[in-house]
Amino acid sequence: MSPPASGGATLAEILNILEGYDLRCFGYLSADHVHVWAEAAKRAYADRNAYLGDPDFVSQPTATMISDSYATRRRAEIRLEGATRSAQVQPGLGPVPANQSTTRREGDHTTHYSIIDAAGNAVSVTTTINSLYGNLVTLAGAGFLLNNEMDDFATEPGAPNQFGLVQGEPNAIQPGKRMLSSMTPVIVLGGKGKIELVSGTPGGATITTTMAQLLSNVVDFGMDVAGASSAPRVHHQHLPDVLLFEPSALREDVQTQLRSRGYTLRERREYSGDTQSIQVMSDGTLAGVADPRHGGAAVAAEAPMRSTP
Ligand code: DON
């Protein structure tokens, strides 16, 4: 998804950086795997936070962010021996041009669904009112909650929002401007535009890394979508400079190795994400996989899709 969602550009940057490593050779959730993963996410989120915002208001370097040459440059900054402190990870494309800045200083609940219909049309929809119950206000007679999406703006550039994201001037509040979102609905197309996978998730700032990890699990580790969805999740978003992992996701020895490389680790008390995915199997049947973290389970494959012209 393109700006004002940051998901597409950030996802592509993470995966392009990771493309330079033989992740499967590192071993799944080994220290080397988690390390390059976190370093890639840190850099992509540094760029996200610095450059992205509503394209009606700011031009932004998404084409560069998703290019192979830029990924090569960002990858070259990564040392296998140790973590780069987030304070040392700068946005990779220099300061935001002055005319992009605004001078103003102002001060959980999201849903994803994936659909493939009998004719082979796919939609991937993430919809959000931001926090639980939005801003806690319903419209009398209308029957729905109002959102508290204003927190997705950098309400005070440099200060963290509810997800701890420290975002920049391009995402500062302005009249008529849309806030930067982490939403990352995904449709993967194979050869000749054939749909391979539809997926997405809620989860605030972890949305993009959840999708990046799911795709990397499938592409780099050969997992099917059920395995890729249930695999433990790891998250880094540049600031705070903390590598988050789901309960019991990382072995003690991997944690020790990562700490010795300079990481601050935090084990989450709760699981992150709630992916809803459809994988098109090689025989054309559809496998629906709801994230087991929230009581979902893989469903039986549906009838084969009709072939499309
Ligand atoms: O668009 C965004 O990035 C946020 N409004 C998403 C919030 C969210 O996913 C909270 N639910 N888990």
Side-chain angles (χ1 to χ4, degrees):
M1 191 173 179
S2 55
S6 60
T10 312
L11 175 79
E13 185 176 337
I14 293 173
L15 295 179
N16 286 343
I17 293 173
L18 289 177
E19 209 164 49
Y21 301 97
D22 188 343
L23 297 184
R24 193 188 288 227
C25 186
F26 285 157
Y28 192 64
L29 290 189
S30 64
D32 282 339
H33 173 208
V34 177
H35 170 56
V36 295
W37 164 261
E39 293 299 310
K42 218 182 271 184
R43 285 163 175 79
Y45 273 73
D47 292 335
R48 171 208 189 276
N49 295 339
Y51 301 123
L52 301 186
D54 185 342
D56 285 352
F57 286 75
V58 287
S59 65
Q60 44 209 312
T62 43
T64 305
M65 279 176 68
I66 66 174
S67 68
D68 288 340
S69 55
Y70 184 61
T72 304
R73 205 179 104 197
R74 286 303 242 173
R75 196 183 307 118
E77 301 164 9
I78 298 174
R79 296 174 305 115
L80 276 181
E81 309 76 54
T84 319
R85 299 244 65 91
S86 283
Q88 260 84 58
V89 176
Q90 299 301 321
L93 297 165
V96 176
N99 64 4
Q100 298 282 306
S101 303
T102 62
T103 50
R104 294 164 64 101
R105 293 245 167 222
E106 291 187 41
D108 193 325
H109 199 70
T110 299
T111 299
H112 182 87
Y113 52 93
S114 301
I115 295 172
I116 301 181
D117 72 9
N121 302 301
V123 290
S124 182
V125 177
T126 313
T127 177
T128 185
I129 57 170
N130 207 19
S131 307
L132 192 65
Y133 295 110
N135 71 4
L136 311 179
V137 174
T138 55
L139 279 184
F144 58 84
L145 284 155
L146 299 181
N147 69 59
N148 63 334
E149 274 298 326
M150 292 302 280
D151 189 63
D152 275 344
F153 277 117
T155 51
E156 186 187 338
N161 74 356
Q162 65 166 327
F163 302 111
L165 287 168
V166 180
Q167 309 179 97
E169 286 286 342
N171 191 33
I173 296 172
Q174 277 183 270
K177 190 179 186 183
R178 290 165 295 173
M179 56 293 290
L180 186 66
S181 167
S182 294
M183 292 191 286
T184 315
V186 165
I187 298 178
V188 178
L189 301 180
K192 296 184 181 160
K194 179 180 161 292
I195 294 161
E196 305 258 342
L197 175 69
V198 184
S199 189
T201 184
T206 67
I207 289 174
T208 311
T209 46
T210 296
M211 278 298 103
Q213 195 176 351
L214 186 135
L215 293 178
S216 174
N217 288 349
V218 171
V219 172
D220 299 310
F221 290 94
M223 297 182 194
D224 61 20
V225 172
S229 305
S230 56
R233 293 182 181 140
V234 179
H235 175 73
H236 203 299
Q237 61 182 46
H238 183 234
L239 293 174
D241 191 358
V242 175
L243 178 59
L244 296 173
F245 58 99
E246 287 189 318
S248 307
L250 298 180
R251 296 196 315 260
E252 284 296 332
D253 64 303
V254 171
Q255 291 182 43
T256 306
Q257 288 178 57
L258 289 167
R259 281 199 187 90
S260 73
R261 292 184 195 195
Y263 284 96
T264 302
L265 300 178
R266 188 179 314 140
E267 184 167 4
R268 303 184 74 137
R269 279 197 299 264
E270 293 176 352
Y271 295 95
S272 54
D274 184 10
T275 54
Q276 305 295 327
S277 309
I278 303 170
Q279 185 171 23
V280 182
M281 313 305 281
S282 52
D283 66 357
T285 55
L286 308 179
V289 179
D291 199 318
R293 287 161 182 77
H294 294 275
V299 298
E302 300 286 334
M305 272 164 58
R306 270 194 278 135
S307 58
T308 46

